[in-house]
Amino acid sequence: MNVLGIIASAVAALFITVVLAKGVRRTALRSGIGREPGARPSRAGVVRRLGGATVVIGVGTAAAAGSGLGAAGDGGRAVTGLLAGAGIVAALGLVHDVRPLGVPLRVAVQTAAATLAVCLAGLSPVAGVLAVIWIVAVTQAFALLDTSDGALATVGAVTAAGLLACAALDGRAGLALLPAALLAGLVGFLLHNWHPARIRPGACASLFTGFVLASSGALIHAAAPPERAAWAALPVLATVALADTALVLTSRRRASRPLLQDGGDHITHRLRRIRVTVPGTAVVLGLWAGVAVTTGTLVYAGVLHPALALVPPAGSALAVLALLRIPAYVAPPRTGTRRPAPGAPAPAAPPAPPVPAAAEPARNSAGRPTVPPPPTGRPAVGVTADRG
């Protein structure tokens, strides 16, 4: 295993991502987008999401250079397939950031990219089909995590660290190169994405991150020795992303809402409703992912029994049930008037009160206007009644 080559690729990914993210951040600040009165929200959102391309460029460039210099060892073909598929998915996300695309088109492109990565990795047909399904599902789950500052980068970095540890245990440089580069790139991006974030991952970086993590996990699982409990350990690493997806789908199903329509019903939104701060939300998700990743890595290493891999999913299921009790959809305010029945005539508006004509004030014998007495019937102080 070429440790120095992998470390050099990770350092390069960190450096490139930090420099590019800083440039995008300065450009956004100088242009004043997001702070100008009357600036279009779509334009401001696109500029902020350009930061996601910095992760793709930094990680992709470093991993491709490392593979070309021999850091991937015998896994150069697998790394090439992963980078090709991840590049396709990242381009899809970049287009989606500028002009939203439909779900069928996105799923079709992700399936094609996953198929390309699996075919170049040399998996069997059955394992390849299962790997494609897993890659598409986890990629979409990670794409849904971009709902709060630092959330996606934190969970993605923790998951990449777990995959790196699993690949390092077997000494597979080709499968460790991409998780190492992704870990460094997300850490560099997190420096500019922490709250208050000036740039966001967007669909470009979120789809790229999910695809790299899911593909790396599938290939590590396929290449694991028989004594490794990879079937139980590696799926645990995606616990947080899958839990968020399960929470969203269950909540929208119970509320009779469209399943594929965006809404404020993710884990991050519900934590904010119980007054957890934005940085606190990222920390909570990071700790949640850290427990799952640590458990899965120890099961993969043989330190823990494979049955203990069920603990993180069970705990996540309980957490999802608890989060479902937090209201996510605000009902419209109710008014005291009733809507007319279909076909019934609209109620007539009440007549306006007549406007009294201006009357000439009464005057006394001296020609001065009189002052009416107070409601009690007693004469006002300083006013004498005109008796005539």
Side-chain angles (χ1 to χ4, degrees), residues 99-297:
R99 185 175 182 178
L101 303 175
V103 175
L105 177 60
R106 284 182 286 164
V107 173
V109 174
Q110 293 173 24
T111 303
T115 303
L116 175 63
V118 167
C119 290
L120 291 180
L123 299 183
S124 63
V126 177
V129 172
L130 296 177
V132 168
I133 296 175
W134 168 259
I135 292 171
V136 173
V138 175
T139 299
Q140 197 60 38
F142 270 92
L144 297 177
L145 284 178
D146 183 23
T147 53
S148 182
D149 294 346
L152 173 70
T154 302
V155 176
V158 173
T159 308
L163 290 173
L164 175 61
C166 293
L169 288 173
D170 298 329
R172 300 185 178 275
L175 300 179
L177 178 61
L178 266 176
L182 182 62
L183 170 60
L186 290 177
V187 170
F189 180 77
L190 193 59
L191 299 177
H192 303 281
N193 184 239
W194 194 255
H195 182 74
R198 296 296 182 181
I199 55 178
R200 288 184 52 194
C204 179
S206 59
L207 289 175
F208 176 82
T209 300
F211 187 90
V212 171
L213 294 175
S215 302
S216 300
L219 297 186
I220 292 174
H221 179 278
E227 63 272 11
R228 302 289 189 190
W231 57 271
L234 293 177
V236 178
L237 274 62
T239 297
V240 175
L242 296 177
D244 182 68
T245 302
L247 172 66
V248 169
L249 295 179
T250 304
S251 178
R252 293 175 185 176
R253 179 68 177 177
R254 293 174 59 182
S256 299
R257 289 176 170 263
L259 298 180
L260 302 180
Q261 182 178 356
D262 295 337
D265 48 8
H266 294 263
I267 295 176
T268 55
H269 300 137
R270 296 174 191 267
L271 291 178
R272 293 289 292 131
R273 288 184 179 274
I274 58 176
R275 301 186 181 278
V276 179
T277 62
V278 176
T281 300
V283 171
V284 169
L285 291 180
L287 294 176
W288 188 348
V291 172
V293 167
T294 303
T295 304
T297 304

